Amino acid sequence: MQNILKNVLDWSEVWALLIPLTFLYIRKKQPAFNKPVVIYVWMALILNIAIDLTWKFRTKLPVQFQSNNYLYNIHSIVRLGLFSSYFIRLKQPFLTATKKVIQLVFAGFVIVNFSIYQHFFDYWHFSSLLLSVEAALLLFYCIQYYLFRINDDEEISKKQPDLWIVTGLGIYVTVNFFIFLLYNKLAIHLQNFAVSLWNIHNITFIIFCVFIAKAFYESEL
């Protein structure tokens, strides 16, 4: 029983992504502005399966492929790129230029960071800096979204899909910013605590996926 529970928890992010994919199957016709989120869900599923399989079968893989840290880096870059595109597609007339510039700034940061300061395929650690910067930028996108909605005269409805997506994303990045920032140091000095802390990340990711599923349900054309 314990082994079954452990396997379920190990694959929790994969199971979580099946929730929005189920609702996407039910509500096939989604508006154009949801396209980056649809792509993200599929790519996140592929990346998380690869992450879990790499960890599970690491001893059977060539040494250079035994670490899954580079997959976390790819996931972080993909998430920032697609959700920044999502916020731009919402076409809110607020900080329009800034939202586009952030994409370029992040791309520049990734190039400089992995060219000079860190190794993209670091065997022992994923990039806490990359994931925390990504979380901070996505949190900025969420905050500017809410600022626009607060100042907008239009009534906010619980049936608006963008509200569900942004709220789910906001919860995820807010909770996980400090987890990403401190995880490598905690893993060195407080390994058991770091493992337990990652369970919080998994729980917030499940919540994030539930909110995306709700958005897909509310936004069929």
Side-chain angles (χ1 to χ4, degrees):
M1 186 66 183
Q2 288 181 342
N3 289 334
I4 295 174
L5 181 60
K6 184 178 184 301
N7 288 330
V8 171
L9 291 174
D10 287 344
W11 291 78
S12 60
E13 291 174 78
V14 173
W15 303 129
L17 287 160
L18 295 179
I19 301 171
L21 286 173
T22 300
F23 279 83
L24 185 61
Y25 178 78
I26 296 170
R27 304 285 202 184
K28 293 182 176 67
K29 296 181 180 179
Q30 295 289 317
F33 62 80
N34 270 358
K35 186 176 181 179
V37 182
V38 173
I39 294 172
Y40 169 74
V41 171
W42 281 110
M43 292 196 69
L45 178 66
I46 294 169
L47 287 168
N48 277 293
I49 290 174
I51 286 169
D52 291 337
L53 287 176
T54 300
W55 177 252
K56 187 174 182 63
F57 298 106
R58 63 190 181 281
T59 57
K60 299 179 181 180
L61 296 173
V63 175
Q64 62 270 30
F65 297 112
Q66 288 181 5
S67 173
N68 56 17
N69 292 320
Y70 74 96
L71 293 168
Y72 282 103
N73 294 338
I74 294 173
H75 192 169
S76 177
I77 294 169
V78 166
R79 185 163 50 221
L80 189 285
L82 289 173
F83 277 99
S84 61
S85 176
Y86 172 74
F87 281 102
I88 292 170
R89 279 172 175 254
L90 291 179
K91 295 183 179 180
Q92 294 178 328
F94 183 65
L95 299 176
T96 305
T98 303
K99 284 182 278 192
K100 294 179 180 178
V101 168
I102 285 177
Q103 290 181 317
L104 298 176
V105 170
F106 183 72
F109 160 75
V110 170
I111 293 170
V112 171
N113 183 55
F114 289 113
S115 298
I116 301 174
Y117 300 105
Q118 295 183 314
H119 193 279
F120 191 82
F121 294 92
D122 190 318
Y123 185 90
W124 298 107
H125 307 293
F126 68 44
S127 176
S128 285
L129 181 60
L130 172 66
L131 271 73
S132 56
V133 168
E134 177 229 337
L137 292 177
L138 288 177
L139 181 58
F140 169 80
Y141 277 116
C142 293
I143 291 172
Q144 64 81 33
Y145 169 89
Y146 284 117
L147 288 175
F148 173 79
R149 296 305 298 265
I150 290 171
N151 293 320
D152 191 18
D153 292 332
E154 183 181 350
E155 184 179 353
I156 298 177
S157 170
K158 292 181 180 179
K159 290 186 175 293
Q160 290 177 303
D162 51 311
L163 181 64
W164 287 101
I165 289 174
V166 176
T167 302
L169 179 62
I171 292 170
Y172 176 77
V173 297
T174 300
V175 172
N176 287 290
F177 171 76
F178 288 105
I179 294 177
F180 293 152
L181 186 64
L182 302 173
Y183 189 80
N184 280 334
K185 292 184 178 179
L186 290 173
I188 294 171
H189 300 290
L190 298 167
Q191 189 173 17
N192 290 335
F193 178 70
V195 172
S196 299
L197 201 61
W198 197 253
N199 289 331
I200 297 176
H201 165 272
N202 292 341
I203 291 170
T204 57
F205 190 79
I206 293 170
I207 294 171
F208 180 29
C209 288
V210 170
F211 276 64
I212 292 176
K214 173 66 173 176
F216 287 165
Y217 180 79
E218 297 291 356
S219 60
E220 185 182 31
L221 288 173

